[in-house]
Amino acid sequence: MQHSALVVGVSGIVGNNLARHLLERGWQVGGLARRPPSDIPGLQPLAADLLDAASLRTALAGQRPSHVFLTTWMRQPTEAENIRVNAAMVRNLLDALRPGHSVAHVALVTGLKHYLGPFEAYGQGRLPATPFREEQPRLDIENFYYAQEDEVFAAAARDGFGWSVHRPHTVIGYALGNAMNMGVTLAAYATLCRETGRPFLFPGSAAQWNGLTDMTDAGLLARHLEWAALTPAARDQAFNVVNGDVFRWSWMWERIAGWFGLQPAPFPGEGIPLERQLADAAPLWADLAQRRGLAEPDLGRLASAWHTDADLGRPIEVVTDMSKSRRLGFLDYQATDDAFFALFGRLRAARVIP
C-alpha cells in the first residue's frame, strides 16, 4: 500500500528535505506552501495560505493524505502574536482536512525552544537541566510551540488520528529563502570573509564556544519523521531528534574554516553578532554574485543572521538526550561536521557559493 503524505511548509529547510526523502521512498507527496517549489521531481505542489481558510479548502479539495507533516511557522513580533498566528495555522489546516476522514497520523516539528523558551525569553529564567529529555515539563511561560502542540492534541482526540512531536536542535540542510538556516548563513559568511579578507570570527557567546552542543541534520530528521509515522510504538509520543554526536564550537569553527580555506580568527572572549558583522554586506554579496556567476544575488535570501546569533549567543550549554528514540529502534547517526560539509558541497554545486 502506497502511503500518501501532505508536507506542510514544503519550501522550508525541513519540509524540502522531507518531501525529497519521502518521494525517494515511494510515497505519494503533496507539498503545501504559499509558494511551493517547482524543482522537486514527483511533488504535487499545493499553493495556499495557512491563515486563509478559503484558500486552504480550495488547495486541499480532493486531497486524502494518510500522513500530515507540519514543518512550518510564521515569525511574529511578539510571543502573543506567535501563539495566535501559529496556533491558527495548525487549526485551519486540520479543520480543512477533517471532511476527508483520511488522516491517520499528524507529525509536528517544533524544536528546543520547547525547553529553552521563546525568543522573547530565550535561555532566561529557570530552565530544565541538560541534557534535555522529553519527559521534562513545559516551562511556566507562554510559548507558541505549546499552542501548536495543543491544537494537534485536540484535533487528534476529536478525529482519532495518531500524532508525534519532533524537537530537533538547529537544523543543517539545503533550502534557500528560509528564516532559520544556520548552515547556509555560515557558508555565506565564510565566503564573504574569504573574498574580502575579513576575519572569520565566531559570533557567539563564550558558553557556546567552550561548552558542549549538538545539531540536527535535515536528512536524519526526515528519516525520523517517517520512522515515527510508521512505527506503532511511536504513536502519540514526543521525541528529541539530534545527530548523535556532541561537539564544542571551538572545534567546529576550525573545521568549517578549513573547508573554506580560512584561518579562524582567535576568539576574543565574546563574539560580535552576525547581524552587526553583515550589516553592510548585502552590496558586497550582490557584487560577488555578479562577478562569480552565483545563483542568488540577494544575501537576505541566504543568511538568517538573527537566528544564527540567537543559537550561537546562548549563555548556557545545550545538549539533547535521544534515548527515547533509541529504545524504540531509531538508531540513525550523522556526524555534524560531515553534515555541514555535505551542505557546503551542495551549495557550491548549485552555484549558491563560489
Side-chain angles (χ1 to χ4, degrees):
M1 175 182 174
Q2 186 181 40
H3 299 295
S4 58
L6 176 64
V7 176
V8 183
V10 71
S11 60
I13 187 170
V14 176
N16 186 298
N17 286 276
L18 173 63
R20 294 177 187 274
H21 169 76
L22 294 177
L23 286 162
E24 289 173 0
R25 297 273 292 168
W27 287 59
Q28 178 183 333
V29 182
L32 182 73
R34 281 175 293 179
R35 292 176 295 277
S38 57
D39 63 342
I40 302 179
L43 179 75
Q44 181 185 7
L46 303 165
D49 182 344
L50 288 167
L51 293 174
D52 183 341
S55 81
L56 272 174
R57 287 193 297 270
T58 299
L60 296 175
Q63 297 294 315
R64 298 292 183 270
S66 57
H67 294 75
V68 177
F69 299 90
L70 286 157
T71 72
T72 189
W73 72 291
M74 288 180 62
R75 187 186 183 200
Q76 304 299 312
T78 67
E79 193 59 20
E81 277 297 289
N82 272 332
I83 289 168
R84 183 186 67 81
V85 167
N86 289 283
M89 289 163 55
V90 175
R91 184 169 58 251
N92 290 345
L93 176 82
L94 298 179
D95 284 349
L97 290 170
R98 181 171 304 118
H101 303 289
S102 65
V103 177
H105 188 92
V106 172
L108 172 67
V109 179
T110 61
L112 294 197
K113 287 190 292 297
H114 182 93
Y115 309 107
L116 288 162
F119 287 117
E120 284 185 1
Y122 199 45
Q124 300 175 17
R126 186 173 182 178
L127 300 176
T130 56
F132 296 137
R133 292 183 169 88
E134 296 91 342
E135 66 269 18
Q136 290 166 328
R138 291 178 174 182
L139 301 176
D140 186 20
I141 189 171
E142 289 191 327
N143 189 324
F144 81 89
Y145 282 170
Y146 306 160
Q148 288 182 309
E149 286 185 345
D150 288 343
E151 293 292 342
V152 172
F153 300 160
R158 180 183 57 236
D159 299 334
F161 57 74
W163 57 265
S164 57
V165 175
H166 304 255
R167 299 170 186 160
H169 200 164
T170 305
V171 178
I172 305 168
Y174 185 90
L176 306 182
N178 186 261
M180 300 194 300
N181 197 331
M182 183 190 287
V184 179
T185 299
L186 293 182
Y189 173 57
T191 298
L192 282 166
C193 289
R194 189 184 63 209
E195 297 290 323
T196 64
R198 296 184 179 195
F200 187 59
L201 176 66
F202 182 71
S205 67
Q208 289 299 301
W209 180 255
N210 296 312
L212 292 173
T213 193
D214 48 30
M215 294 185 75
T216 306
D217 177 72
L220 182 139
L221 176 55
R223 297 192 296 276
H224 191 272
L225 283 158
E226 183 190 28
W227 167 81
L230 300 179
T231 300
R235 181 184 172 101
D236 300 347
Q237 298 287 329
F239 296 102
N240 296 328
V241 193
V242 287
N243 288 338
D245 61 352
V246 295
F247 62 91
R248 303 179 199 277
W249 274 105
S250 55
W251 176 82
M252 185 66 77
W253 200 248
E254 186 171 352
R255 297 281 289 159
I256 292 172
W259 196 93
F260 286 93
L262 293 166
Q263 284 293 325
F267 182 61
E270 195 66 32
I272 300 173
L274 281 180
E275 278 200 302
R276 199 187 317 165
Q277 292 193 54
L278 296 177
D280 64 345
L284 297 174
W285 185 268
D287 177 68
L288 172 65
Q290 183 178 26
R291 287 188 290 106
R292 302 294 292 271
L294 302 183
E296 179 52 71
D298 182 359
L299 182 62
R301 280 185 48 78
L302 301 178
S304 50
W306 69 272
H307 173 258
T308 298
D309 285 339
D311 273 13
L312 297 183
R314 289 183 296 217
I316 59 171
E317 181 176 273
V318 177
V319 183
T320 316
D321 182 79
M322 205 172 158
S323 301
K324 186 176 182 179
S325 292
R326 307 299 190 212
R327 290 190 186 102
L328 294 178
F330 184 83
L331 304 177
D332 286 28
Y333 165 85
Q334 170 64 58
T336 300
D337 53 344
D338 287 344
F340 271 123
F341 299 159
L343 170 62
F344 299 156
R346 186 172 174 189
L347 291 171
R348 181 167 286 171
R351 299 299 300 163
V352 176
I353 60 175

